[in-house]
Amino acid sequence: MKFKQFQFLKQEAIKKLILLDTEDHSFVSKPASEVLASDAVMLAYIGDAVYSMYIRQRVVEMSISKVQILHTLVTEFICAKSQSKVLDQLESVLTENEQTIARRARNSNVNVPKSSTVQEYRSSTAFEAVLGFLYETRQDERLQDVMKQAFSITLRGM
């Protein structure tokens, strides 16, 4: 994307944010059908934030005061390689809707960083999209269960 195009899109986004700022944005559950129709990469974006916050909260509970150690631990949990392994182990227990979202996210056109393989990055995007789906549909108990399982899977792999 060229710089001028980027600047234009950023300004348009700011205009939309200003308009949305006046609306009530309480966290309301969205119907699964609406969320299933959403962009899988946007769900992954939300899922990434949700999972990162979950991991940070779990790691902070250990009362370690060195931020560098906390950051290193969090990074190991949220990296594409770890999330890819999590999805591989959880895929068989995902619901039909969760599998649909995972498949769409895995097949999305994403830019893969050099720190992971294409397969790892796409699988991690799929995992994050599932979390985003659960968050957006306010399936809080299921979301917590999936993240707890993911945490345990990653921890056992360390």
Side-chain angles (χ1 to χ4, degrees), residues 4-131:
K4 285 188 177 190
Q5 183 184 15
F6 173 81
Q7 289 295 92
F8 172 76
L9 293 173
K10 180 181 171 189
Q11 288 304 314
E12 290 300 306
I14 290 171
K15 288 177 188 174
K16 287 180 182 179
L17 285 172
I18 291 169
L19 289 173
L20 291 174
D21 188 38
T22 60
E23 298 177 11
D24 178 25
H25 284 279
S26 303
F27 291 113
V28 179
S29 177
K30 295 179 184 173
S33 58
E34 181 183 326
V35 179
L36 281 169
S38 305
D39 181 3
V41 175
M42 289 300 115
L43 290 174
Y45 183 74
I46 296 294
D48 175 55
V50 170
Y51 191 58
S52 179
M53 187 65 172
Y54 174 82
I55 296 299
R56 288 170 191 264
Q57 287 174 326
R58 293 287 305 262
V59 171
V60 166
E61 290 171 359
M62 297 182 310
S63 299
I64 295 173
S65 61
K66 297 289 184 189
V67 175
Q68 185 177 4
I69 293 171
L70 293 174
H71 177 73
T72 301
L73 287 171
V74 168
T75 302
E76 287 184 38
F77 277 92
I78 64 172
C79 72
K81 188 174 190 171
S82 294
Q83 290 182 356
S84 175
K85 288 178 184 177
V86 165
L87 184 69
D88 287 344
Q89 291 189 35
L90 290 181
E91 206 157 19
S92 63
V93 297
L94 295 180
T95 67
E96 187 177 324
N97 284 342
E98 292 165 358
Q99 288 178 0
T100 299
I101 289 294
R103 188 172 31 260
R104 282 189 31 232
R106 188 182 289 120
N107 293 331
S108 296
N109 187 16
V110 291
N111 293 326
V112 179
K114 293 179 182 179
S115 60
S116 65
T117 66
V118 172
Q119 183 179 1
E120 287 171 342
Y121 194 74
R122 288 184 176 205
S123 289
S124 70
T125 301
F127 170 69
E128 291 170 345
V130 168
L131 298 181

